[in-house]
Amino acid sequence: MRILPFIILFTCCLFNKSLQAQCRISVDAPDTLAFLISINDVPINTYPVVSLELNLNTSGKTNFKAEFPEHPMLNFSQVITIKKGAAVSYSIDRSKGALKFILTSESLQAVAEQPAQEGVSSEITADTLQQQQVHNGCFPITDDSAYQDMIAACDEQHFEAKKLSLMAEFAGRSCLRTDHLRYMMSKLSQEDNKLALLIAAKDHIYDPERLLEVSADFFLARNKAKVAEIVDGDREP
């Protein structure tokens, strides 16, 4: 199974009657700076990620805000000028001592637009679109408030063994996205504990076709191999 890049695809359509062209925006950050992003004060993702891609029916000056749950002092906002029909990529990186959205690529694209049907809301949230995707894992996804409560409880623990215990117990009775699991793993420093959490969660994943992506969170080659064994162990040859 090929290791997929850690890209969370959130397609959010923010409609405005005066706008005529759709643009595609990608944002990437270092692995240690998982972020939440808002565009024109509209939250885009629910869970911290290090990469996302989205479509917007917008152009002109657009306010981007990045928040870092693990490093709140680094939160920042920036006004970015978006060209109609553009495909742009930004990296979150330091420039003159401060974090900024730095343009890494820009090109024009042709994106066909579909008019909103009368009587149908034109706003599509990221969570709604993800629920419409076809997966072969568990369903429904665990309640967000319960997940956040578990994360908060783990953050209060000083011992990694206790964090692992809380996470493994929660994973064993929940339905998690791969992104949930990866964020949980980021709370653990020992790779053996990350493997233990993977074992506890692997049968409770909403999108198991993406589960091998967690190998990117391991440094040692032997542990990356163990991840593949755990993920593929119950599959038919």
Side-chain angles (χ1 to χ4, degrees), residues 76 82 114 120 161 224:
F76 73 97
I82 303 296
Q114 298 180 354
V120 178
K224 289 179 180 288

Side-chain angles (χ1 to χ4, degrees), residues 50 120 171 206 208:
V50 295
V120 178
Y206 168 71

Side-chain angles (χ1 to χ4, degrees), residues 19 66 79 135 153 174 186 191 202 223:
L19 302 176
V79 175
H135 297 287
S174 304
S186 73
E191 294 200 348
K202 74 182 187 72
N223 287 336

Side-chain angles (χ1 to χ4, degrees), residues 8-232:
I8 316 294
L9 180 59
F10 293 109
T11 308
C12 302
C13 305
L14 308 179
F15 288 82
N16 186 307
K17 293 181 180 180
S18 64
L19 302 176
Q20 300 298 321
Q22 189 178 73
C23 63
R24 174 162 293 179
I25 300 170
S26 300
V27 181
D28 295 279
D31 288 345
T32 56
L33 289 179
F35 61 85
L36 301 171
I37 194 167
S38 299
I39 297 179
N40 289 335
D41 297 321
V42 178
I44 300 300
N45 55 312
T46 305
Y47 306 104
V49 298
V50 295
S51 181
L52 64 79
E53 184 176 336
L54 61 145
N55 292 335
L56 291 177
N57 276 358
T58 191
S59 62
K61 294 186 181 299
T62 305
N63 186 57
F64 282 65
K65 182 180 180 181
E67 297 177 272
F68 308 93
E70 295 295 312
H71 309 280
M73 295 298 292
L74 298 178
N75 295 355
F76 73 97
S77 60
Q78 181 178 335
V79 175
I80 296 174
T81 300
I82 303 296
K83 297 179 182 179
K84 290 184 177 180
V88 294
S89 296
Y90 290 90
S91 66
I92 295 177
D93 210 338
R94 290 190 179 275
S95 177
K96 298 181 179 179
L99 285 179
K100 293 184 179 181
F101 291 102
I102 298 176
L103 182 66
T104 57
S105 68
E106 181 179 32
S107 61
L108 294 178
Q109 62 171 356
V111 180
E113 293 192 283
Q114 298 180 354
Q117 298 178 9
E118 185 176 356
V120 178
S121 171
S122 60
E123 182 177 356
I124 305 176
T125 67
D127 284 342
T128 299
L129 285 170
Q130 283 193 318
Q131 291 288 350
Q132 292 175 347
Q133 294 177 357
V134 177
H135 297 287
N136 59 355
C138 60
F139 189 85
I141 298 171
T142 193
D143 180 71
D144 180 56
S145 61
Y147 177 78
Q148 296 297 342
D149 287 345
M150 181 274 298
I151 292 296
C154 289
D155 288 341
E156 294 175 356
Q157 303 300 321
H158 298 292
F159 297 101
E160 181 154 316
K162 182 60 177 177
K163 290 184 180 182
L164 173 61
S165 177
L166 289 173
M167 290 180 186
E169 189 276 333
F170 183 84
R173 58 178 172 83
S174 304
C175 181
L176 304 172
R177 291 189 176 99
T178 296
D179 301 319
H180 285 142
L181 178 59
R182 293 192 70 176
Y183 186 62
M184 292 161 67
M185 284 183 171
S186 73
K187 302 286 184 181
L188 302 171
S189 59
Q190 298 182 31
E191 294 200 348
D192 285 347
N193 288 337
K194 293 183 180 183
L195 287 171
L197 180 58
L198 173 61
I199 291 171
K202 74 182 187 72
D203 294 327
H204 305 273
I205 298 296
Y206 168 71
D207 50 354
E209 71 278 2
R210 295 184 53 223
L211 191 53
L212 196 57
E213 293 177 25
V214 304
S215 63
D217 301 318
F218 291 81
F219 176 75
L220 297 175
R222 67 172 181 270
N223 287 336
K224 289 179 180 288
K226 287 181 181 179
V227 169
E229 292 176 4
I230 293 168
V231 172
D232 295 331

